[in-house]
Amino acid sequence: MKKKFIVLGVLFATFGFTKINAQINFGEKAIGAVQKGVSGFTFSNADAAALSKAAVDKLDKENEIAAATDGYTLRLNRVFGKYTAGEDYTLNYKVYKLKEVNAFATADGSVRVYSGLMDIMDDNELLAVIGHEIGHVANHDSQDAIKAAYKKEALMDAAASQSTTVATVTDSQLGKIGSAIIDSKFSRKQEAEADLFAYNFMKKNGYNVNAEESAFRILAKMSEGSQASFIDQMMSSHPDSKQRAEDAKKRAEKDGLYKPYVQQKIVNTVPVPAKKAATKKTTKKK
């Protein structure tokens, strides 16, 4: 698959666009719970979570997931493993062994981080990126996006049948909803709020907030390369990475915390156990 460097700030709908577009296909078993008596105008956060989980379950089956003993998994658990719950959401984490620079979080609390992202960002920068994605979940952006997609399809069918509600969700509708989610983009306001969520998360937990600026600088630098036209098209409705880096810098300056960030060592390998010091045997002289 053609390698694409993806800009931070778009949920799983647009992160890894080519790969996910080919994969999402809601089967009857996976979405059975969602199909049962869902009204087109009362689509709840629970419905959004169920629909998101069906998509992520399928993606998990179709992508290589780093094993529990893999260096990538060990690192992600060390960096973020203790942060599993918010005010009204529960998170679960996995690493996809893919070269793309990518991460996403969905309405059911699933967080997926690509190994390609972990190869270029240190622990603090990862905290900023993943914190941003969790911000979309905490701010209900991800729930709202999938609900909007659902309602759009429900209303289309309602108009055709001169009905006011849709009692069940068909596989055909779910296919359309999946495509709508993939094509969706967050507003500038939602992106800015997710950025602020990540900054506040890092500040609250004692991390180096300047890593947020650094993460955006990395993505801005990448956008100047061969994938620039693709990224410009994808991010046309969002603030660019350079501007978001400047915004992160201003937040840190306002709090009196700003200091140019120096990237730390990146280690995605399994730690090597320390060797025990050899002990010399001594013999007593007779």
Side-chain angles (χ1 to χ4, degrees), residues 181-281:
I181 294 170
I182 293 168
D183 294 335
S184 68
K185 295 180 180 180
F186 292 116
S187 69
R188 290 175 182 270
K189 181 174 181 291
Q190 288 173 320
E191 293 293 355
E193 289 175 346
D195 290 347
L196 180 59
F197 180 94
Y199 177 88
N200 287 336
F201 168 84
M202 297 185 74
K203 180 181 175 182
K204 176 182 176 181
N205 290 286
Y207 297 109
N208 190 335
V209 296
N210 296 295
E212 184 177 43
E213 178 202 8
S214 179
F216 282 124
R217 297 290 183 202
I218 291 172
L219 295 171
K221 184 69 175 177
M222 290 166 59
S223 70
E224 297 172 359
S226 61
Q227 299 298 327
S229 60
F230 172 80
I231 291 172
D232 288 343
Q233 180 182 2
M234 179 178 289
M235 298 298 292
S236 60
S237 65
H238 299 76
D240 63 25
S241 295
K242 286 184 179 179
Q243 182 58 54
R244 294 165 82 176
E246 287 298 321
D247 292 341
K249 180 180 178 180
K250 289 177 182 177
R251 279 193 287 271
E253 287 175 336
K254 184 178 179 180
D255 287 340
L257 299 173
Y258 183 72
K259 185 179 180 180
Y261 187 74
V262 178
Q263 189 179 66
Q264 305 301 300
K265 187 177 180 179
I266 299 171
V267 180
N268 290 312
T269 54
V270 177
V272 178
K275 292 183 179 180
K276 292 183 179 180
T279 57
K280 292 182 178 179
K281 291 183 178 180

Side-chain angles (χ1 to χ4, degrees), residues 21 56 65 99 102 118 189 244 250 258:
N21 187 42
V56 174
I65 294 175
K99 294 295 185 182
N102 188 353
M118 298 180 71
K189 181 174 181 291
R244 294 165 82 176
K250 289 177 182 177
Y258 183 72

Side-chain angles (χ1 to χ4, degrees), residues 51-221:
L51 188 58
S52 295
K53 186 178 186 305
V56 174
D57 285 347
K58 183 170 181 59
L59 288 171
D60 285 352
K61 291 177 181 178
E62 297 183 352
N63 285 295
E64 181 185 356
I65 294 175
T69 55
D70 189 286
Y72 286 105
T73 300
L74 294 176
R75 181 186 173 200
L76 184 62
N77 288 339
R78 174 175 56 79
V79 174
F80 237 108
K82 60 184 176 181
Y83 302 110
T84 58
E87 291 184 5
D88 57 353
Y89 56 89
T90 301
L91 304 170
N92 67 88
Y93 302 90
K94 290 182 182 179
V95 177
Y96 284 171
K97 298 290 287 288
L98 295 170
K99 294 295 185 182
E100 283 77 13
V101 176
N102 188 353
F104 65 83
T106 61
D108 69 305
S110 294
V111 180
R112 300 294 180 264
V113 183
Y114 285 34
S115 58
L117 179 68
M118 298 180 71
D119 287 337
I120 66 168
M121 292 194 178
D122 69 16
D123 291 354
N124 288 315
E125 291 160 343
L126 274 180
L127 283 160
V129 172
I130 300 172
H132 171 98
E133 297 304 327
I134 293 173
H136 281 307
V137 178
N139 296 336
H140 299 286
D141 299 337
S142 51
Q143 292 92 330
D144 292 344
I146 200 167
K147 285 162 71 175
Y150 172 86
K151 289 185 178 183
K152 178 182 177 182
E153 296 305 326
L155 288 170
M156 286 171 62
D157 278 18
S161 62
Q162 297 183 350
S163 176
T164 56
T165 61
V166 176
T168 59
V169 182
T170 66
D171 284 344
S172 175
Q173 286 173 318
L174 282 167
K176 293 178 183 178
I177 291 168
S179 296
I181 294 170
I182 293 168
D183 294 335
S184 68
K185 295 180 180 180
F186 292 116
S187 69
R188 290 175 182 270
K189 181 174 181 291
Q190 288 173 320
E191 293 293 355
E193 289 175 346
D195 290 347
L196 180 59
F197 180 94
Y199 177 88
N200 287 336
F201 168 84
M202 297 185 74
K203 180 181 175 182
K204 176 182 176 181
N205 290 286
Y207 297 109
N208 190 335
V209 296
N210 296 295
E212 184 177 43
E213 178 202 8
S214 179
F216 282 124
R217 297 290 183 202
I218 291 172
L219 295 171
K221 184 69 175 177

